[in-house]
Amino acid sequence: MENERGTVRSALAGGAGAAPGRARLPRSRRPVGEPVLPGSSSPWILMYHSVAVEKEDPYQLTVSPERFAEQIAWLHRRGRRGVSVRELMRARAHGRDDKLVGLTFDDGYADFARYAVPILQAYGFTATAYVVADLLGQENGWDTEGPRKKLLTVEEVTELASAGWEIGSHGLGHQALPGLPADVLAVQTRESRRLLEEVVGGPVTGFCYPYGAVDAPAAEAVCEAGYDYACAIAHSPLTGRFALPRCYVGDRDGAWRLRAKKGRHRLRDAVTGLKRNRRGRPEPKGGVGSGSERPGGERAMKERRP
Ligand SMILES: [Zn+2]
């Protein structure tokens, strides 16, 4: 039986299709809250955390490898291809994202390389792993109720990026951004990007808000730090390129639940669009909060508090 390290290496040896993105540095200065494309709906992006065998899972972050394989096979049967958000956004810019679905893995758990990568490779899928820049090789200490999970090491992140997997930033230390002073926001976004670009040897263009928590200053900071896009969770007045909504996927999600979640995504998208049209496009510094911060929002139910 291979050890974890060996499994990582063998899983990565075959490559993951797309070459790492090194073509250009992002120069995004789009208004925060701008729709991904004017008048269009948000792309469908799935949010995973850990793929592993876990006895206790108080935050419902873990999907078993068997269930994950079923979910990926379902997408494949439905004619969808799972891709990184980087690839999804590029395809969308050319109107070629019809059959694509974004696959994202928050926190950068080591089990991404061990369990998720081989399954994704079997279908020719790619994905994005959002890693916590200051905690590579450590554990998810922010999850106070446990269980402790190992995070990808510097070497593993380098290998994943070389093999074509998108590596995005999940901040410096898994700290929620709303409410932080401007200088701290700048450090969380810029410094995490700088550190990760050293690790991957190329541009890091994607950001993912810890806890999915975003407000206007946080989204502004991410935009100003030079990222091309950012992932949130819930639909909100900020929904757009710097607050992409995502669909939580858990271990209970079989085919019919995934179908229902896709329908719910479309519905929320339509409601968000209607509200936006009624209100007019939000100002970049309008002080609007995120739906993900509302008590009882999906993030509050599915994930741990800071
Ligand atoms: Zn996280």
Side-chain angles (χ1 to χ4, degrees), residues 49 106-107 109 132 142 170 174 209-211 299 303-304:
H49 285 77
D106 288 19
D107 301 342
Y109 294 109
V132 184
W142 62 86
H170 203 33
H174 208 278
Y209 300 99
Y211 308 100
R299 186 66 172 186
E303 287 228 358
R304 60 281 188 202

